[in-house]
Amino acid sequence: MRKSEISASMMCSDLVNLKQTIHIFEEQKIEYLHIDVMDGEFVPNIGLGVDYIKSLRKLTSIPLDLHLMIREPEYKLSWIGIEKTDIVSVHYESTYQVQRMLDRLNSFGCKKFLAINPATPIWVLEEVLDYIDGINLLMVNPGFAGQRIVTSTIKKAEKLQHFLQERNKGNIILQVDGNITPEHGLILKKYGASIFVAGTSSIFRGNVEDYEHNIKELRVAIE
Ligand code: DX5
Ligand code: ZN
């Protein structure tokens, strides 16, 4: 069983307290900062662009978990400033050329994750399992924080665990993203999830003074 890791969803943080937030995350050894890059086309929201990523790298060395919710990312990867220590999630639904998109990530040396939306069936993964390091299983329709889990995705996580086991692909990392409360984390851990995107459903509840407690609460649920 892989060690559970927390990926803090920075779209939920407020810029006013960014330095204090990062300090708490470093103290609490948060493993990744989840960056939702949104183009307003693939998802109905715009956010966390290239300049934000550049500034964040000056603030901390916590690796980034770049969730690219953009159309045809394979043509835009060089814009982003991807580093070897990053995770990059690209969406199956964002291009007609999925395998070429994954191939183009190779030159960056980052971990390659394929993200799939709630209605996208697991079998789309069949032909690309050899090209990915992980899967970002969206538990909500992507683009906004504060949403409620799409209930069918819990069963989907269980099915995905069997799908990977049947193909001896237990090495593929499972990340879960969207409304990950401690309760949902506890359930999804059982289905093989090891990276938990923590947003308004966990870390970012209340104010910055509450973050340390919220992190500890989530850690207990997913350990
Ligand atoms: C969803 C985003 C996530 C996440 C935020 O599009 O990718 O970052 O939902 O966390 P919650 O759902 O807990 O507010
Ligand atoms: Zn995300």
Side-chain angles (χ1 to χ4, degrees):
M1 183 85 88
R2 195 175 270 111
K3 177 182 167 299
S4 292
E5 299 178 307
I6 294 177
S7 186
S9 176
M10 297 308 285
M11 75 182 284
C12 305
S13 71
D14 75 63
L15 290 177
V16 173
N17 296 312
L18 186 56
K19 270 194 174 170
Q20 190 183 355
T21 301
I22 294 292
H23 178 67
I24 294 166
F25 286 179
E26 287 174 342
E27 275 191 333
Q28 294 302 314
K29 300 190 178 358
I30 292 289
E31 288 84 359
Y32 289 98
L33 300 181
H34 187 82
I35 313 296
D36 290 307
V37 181
M38 301 175 277
D39 66 0
E41 286 191 45
F42 181 69
V43 290
N45 196 358
I46 296 174
L48 299 194
V50 173
D51 293 334
Y52 176 85
I53 291 169
K54 269 200 197 100
S55 310
L56 207 52
R57 293 220 197 261
K58 290 183 194 134
L59 261 185
T60 182
S61 56
I62 299 177
L64 302 187
D65 167 27
L66 299 165
H67 180 190
L68 304 186
M69 291 175 269
I70 61 179
R71 281 188 58 251
E72 298 186 326
E74 62 270 34
Y75 300 112
K76 303 163 186 170
L77 297 172
S78 60
W79 304 355
I80 294 169
I82 296 168
E83 295 189 3
K84 287 189 181 349
T85 51
D86 295 342
I87 291 172
V88 175
S89 282
V90 284
H91 267 267
Y92 169 83
E93 307 89 352
S94 65
T95 179
Y96 291 119
Q97 305 296 340
V98 177
Q99 196 280 332
R100 178 163 65 191
M101 167 173 68
L102 293 167
D103 253 358
R104 292 226 171 133
L105 275 172
N106 285 329
S107 60
F108 297 91
C110 58
K111 283 199 186 67
K112 301 178 290 175
F113 280 30
L114 191 60
I116 52 174
N117 287 334
T120 302
I122 291 165
W123 52 258
V124 304
L125 299 166
E126 189 72 64
E127 299 306 326
V128 289
L129 292 174
D130 292 339
Y131 300 97
I132 58 175
D133 301 299
I135 295 159
N136 181 3
L137 193 63
L138 270 289
M139 313 303 279
V140 297
N141 291 296
F144 295 92
Q147 299 182 85
R148 290 289 149 257
I149 197 166
V150 173
T151 46
S152 57
T153 58
I154 299 273
K155 182 79 186 145
K156 184 177 177 182
E158 186 180 10
K159 285 193 285 186
L160 177 55
Q161 183 179 42
H162 296 143
F163 176 88
L164 293 174
Q165 282 168 347
E166 284 156 12
R167 291 156 181 79
N168 285 323
K169 286 289 181 184
N171 60 309
I172 289 180
I173 301 166
L174 177 58
Q175 174 180 37
V176 285
D177 184 355
N179 193 214
I180 305 303
T181 60
E183 296 73 23
H184 290 152
L186 182 68
I187 296 166
L188 293 165
K189 167 86 179 166
K190 275 194 312 221
Y191 297 144
S194 66
I195 301 181
F196 300 81
V197 175
T200 64
S201 308
S202 53
I203 293 179
F204 296 99
R205 285 198 316 270
N207 303 306
V208 62
E209 295 75 30
D210 304 308
Y211 292 175
E212 180 179 337
H213 167 78
N214 295 343
I215 292 167
K216 288 177 177 168
E217 184 189 33
L218 180 60
R219 286 267 192 228
V220 168
I222 62 176
E223 69 186 4

